[in-house]
Amino acid sequence: QRKGFPWPWFDEIWYTSTDRNVVTPDSATPFLDANGKNINIISNTYENDKGIIRLEKNCYQIGESAYANKDRLSSIMLPNSITKILDGAFYECNDLAALTLISAIPPVLGSKVFPYRYYGAVMSKIYVQSGSVDAYKSADNWSDYADIIQAIP
């Protein structure tokens, strides 16, 4: 975390895990730039009850199946630069309880991105900027999660 800044920078992903250990993305291309090209991970550390993934440059897309089946992932905060979350990015992450999105504009959301809530998954909160709640609740594919979209506390 950069001093005094409450959100991830464009080249960071913040997360928590159920066992307070590093969670490694599952996909070969978990983070993508604006052109859909892979972004290398510089570091992935877990300290002070938070995981921080630092990337070589700004992240615009969460790749297909980036965290698929990563049950230990319990929350994730994505930077303002995210414009797309591709198919299955968090599919079957059954311990994923909260997602925080800093972007005021809802990213394009692929299919089967999140764990299916009705089969034991705990996904219960999607946090967004207070002025963006309605935009997320009515956006394509996000509207399926309207009941759990709320303002960042």
Side-chain angles (χ1 to χ4, degrees):
Q1 176 177 347
R2 292 181 172 104
K3 190 172 181 143
F5 200 69
W7 316 114
W9 285 67
F10 300 133
D11 61 350
E12 292 180 339
I13 308 291
W14 294 355
Y15 67 91
T16 60
S17 66
T18 56
D19 62 0
R20 296 184 174 159
N21 285 307
V22 167
V23 176
T24 304
D26 203 35
S27 166
T29 56
F31 309 113
L32 307 169
D33 66 17
N35 298 313
K37 302 287 185 198
N38 189 49
I39 298 173
N40 291 322
I41 296 171
I42 294 171
S43 65
N44 185 357
T45 59
Y46 205 94
E47 48 195 67
N48 301 321
D49 293 325
K50 177 172 59 184
I52 300 176
I53 296 174
R54 289 193 173 86
L55 305 167
E56 68 177 340
K57 59 183 174 178
N58 294 355
C59 182
Y60 290 89
Q61 301 176 44
I62 303 300
E64 235 177 87
S65 302
Y67 283 94
N69 300 302
K70 294 292 182 175
D71 281 341
R72 296 181 305 111
L73 184 68
S74 57
S75 72
I76 192 158
M77 181 181 282
L78 302 177
N80 188 38
S81 55
I82 297 297
T83 59
K84 292 181 183 175
I85 302 176
L86 301 179
D87 295 351
F90 302 103
Y91 188 70
E92 297 296 325
C93 288
N94 293 325
D95 289 330
L96 183 61
L99 168 70
T100 303
L101 296 128
I102 306 307
S103 178
I105 299 168
V108 172
L109 189 65
S111 66
K112 296 183 180 180
V113 169
F114 303 115
Y116 193 66
R117 295 185 294 159
Y118 305 106
Y119 290 115
V122 296
M123 183 82 164
S124 61
K125 294 175 180 71
I126 296 175
Y127 293 116
V128 301
Q129 298 285 349
S130 60
S132 300
V133 171
D134 290 338
Y136 274 84
K137 285 184 174 188
S138 62
D140 287 346
N141 293 340
W142 289 103
S143 60
D144 295 342
Y145 302 94
D147 62 317
I148 62 171
I149 294 173
Q150 55 193 277
I152 296 169

